[in-house]
Amino acid sequence: MPVGDEDKWESPPFEATERDGAIYGRGAADTKSNILMHVGAIRAWDGKPPVGIKIVIEGQEEVGGGAFATFPTIRPELFDADAMVIGDMGSVRPGVPTLTIALRGMFAVTVEARTLAGPKHSGQFGGAAPDALLVLIRALGTMHDENGNVAVDGLRRESWTGASYTDEEFRALSETRPGIPFLGTGGLGERIWSGPALTVTGLDALPVESAVNAVVPFARAKVSGRIHPGQDPLEAQAALVRHFEAQRPYGVELVVHTAETGSGFAANTGGPAYAAARDALADAWGGETVSIYVSNGYVPPPPTNNDDNNGPGGNGPGDGPGNGPGNGPGNGPGHGPGHGPGGNGPGGGN
């Protein structure tokens, strides 16, 4: 992925630079540290760990597919294991050993409003000619209530009692401006992990620089949904489709198209590898291991026919640890490198 505006980098993006115990550089956190953590864990055993290990390195997550989506089912013997350790996420905060035990599912839809055969001069027709952009904006506004909670029937939301960010941590991580309230009510964990989120990720309309004095005849938006790990994404997608189809903003019917979906993942946390991971991480870090869900990315879990291998991972199945200390750079500004089983290094964010 590109480095963006290099003027905003405090150090050259392709020169690894150490600052305050963390390594900065393009890809240092995602995904170079993810690879090095496995190398570090093996080195901690002088290259002779007490169990058999298979290492899988794949780079097709960022393009949303590729051969890894199907290859494990074609050559399952290459992936057969008693436990999987998948490192892709950061700790809930620096210094806190963290296991990711679930991933939210996702889906998307596009919604369209068409009102006129073509644009009409707003000075002559505005005020009566139906504006497609106003229709669409009104429809999109019905997805949330006045507090910003998702208001679409059929999307699963449950309370969250595990570890979570503080309001101050979330404001810093999300770069929410001072004085701007967060969306929704209830705990942060419930809003960003065990509840749904609906985000308008694209909007087809004239940019301000190209605006003309005309009533807009057609407008379209794409909505991305993140859902509870245990909810069927097709079921959730259908719920949003029904919601939009039931709307008649200013009497105008909407057209809704379904787009991509992805199933969530919830780990089986009752296996021996999970228990061993919690104990090892707690011992390595000197503190209690906590568990979190993931909402800031979607990586479909590798296909598997072995339900006994379901367990915690950074992103995906496996009765093994996901995030914790590793012998390498962390996922963001870190707490300092550590030696321990698995994990995505000592970083404090993705």
Side-chain angles (χ1 to χ4, degrees):
M1 299 178 71
V3 300
D5 186 354
E6 291 196 35
D7 292 336
K8 295 183 178 180
W9 284 78
E10 295 183 18
S11 56
F14 291 107
E15 293 181 19
T17 304
E18 185 174 352
R19 297 197 304 272
D20 301 323
I23 297 176
Y24 291 81
R26 184 68 189 95
D30 189 2
T31 57
K32 293 181 178 68
S33 67
N34 307 34
I35 298 171
L36 287 178
M37 71 170 193
H38 295 295
V39 175
I42 295 173
R43 283 180 176 175
W45 289 95
D46 294 325
K48 299 176 182 179
V51 294
I53 291 178
K54 299 176 181 179
I55 297 179
V56 179
I57 300 174
E58 66 89 20
Q60 297 177 317
E61 168 205 339
E62 302 298 347
V63 297
F68 195 66
T70 56
F71 185 62
T73 57
I74 297 174
R75 295 291 305 277
E77 73 280 3
L78 297 179
F79 301 90
D80 187 35
D82 297 310
M84 293 184 180
V85 181
I86 304 176
D88 190 67
M89 298 307 305
S91 302
V92 67
R93 62 185 56 88
V96 177
T98 306
L99 288 170
T100 300
I101 60 172
L103 305 173
R104 285 206 290 187
M106 61 85 64
F107 69 89
V109 305
T110 58
V111 55
E112 303 174 356
R114 189 180 298 275
T115 57
L116 306 170
K120 299 297 179 182
H121 195 287
S122 59
Q124 184 176 2
F125 297 99
D131 185 321
L133 187 54
L134 287 179
V135 169
L136 183 61
I137 290 171
R138 192 172 182 89
L140 295 173
T142 66
M143 295 191 300
H144 298 83
D145 65 17
E146 64 276 9
N147 294 313
N149 295 300
V150 172
V152 175
D153 290 337
L155 297 184
R156 182 173 167 184
R157 175 171 174 164
E158 295 179 354
S159 61
W160 174 256
T161 58
S164 184
Y165 302 117
T166 65
D167 284 2
E168 293 75 18
E169 288 170 336
F170 187 76
R171 185 172 296 276
L173 288 168
S174 63
E175 298 185 282
T176 301
R177 299 181 63 182
I180 301 297
F182 301 145
L183 287 179
T185 57
L188 278 173
E190 185 174 335
R191 281 179 274 174
I192 66 174
W193 292 331
S194 60
L198 297 174
T199 305
V200 180
T201 56
L203 184 67
D204 287 341
L206 278 174
V208 172
E209 293 79 6
S210 305
V212 295
N213 294 322
V215 180
V216 175
F218 173 79
R220 179 176 64 168
K222 185 170 185 177
V223 177
S224 173
R226 302 289 173 147
I227 56 173
H228 187 283
Q231 183 163 28
D232 183 338
L234 293 176
E235 173 188 88
Q237 185 181 59
L240 185 58
V241 170
R242 288 193 303 270
H243 176 86
F244 280 134
E245 290 179 341
Q247 306 301 314
R248 291 292 188 275
Y250 308 116
V252 177
E253 182 177 0
L254 303 170
V255 177
V256 188
H257 300 281
T258 57
E260 63 272 15
T261 63
S263 297
F265 169 77
N268 171 10
T269 58
Y274 179 83
R278 290 188 66 92
D279 292 343
L281 294 176
D283 181 65
W285 284 100
E288 182 183 359
T289 301
V290 301
S291 298
I292 61 171
Y293 286 5
V294 171
S295 62
N296 64 324
Y298 176 73
V299 184
T304 176
N305 294 321
N306 186 355
D307 291 336
D308 293 336
N309 282 348
N310 291 332
N315 255 343
D319 185 16
N323 300 317
N327 185 16
N331 221 6
H335 188 68
H339 298 267
N344 206 15
N350 196 20

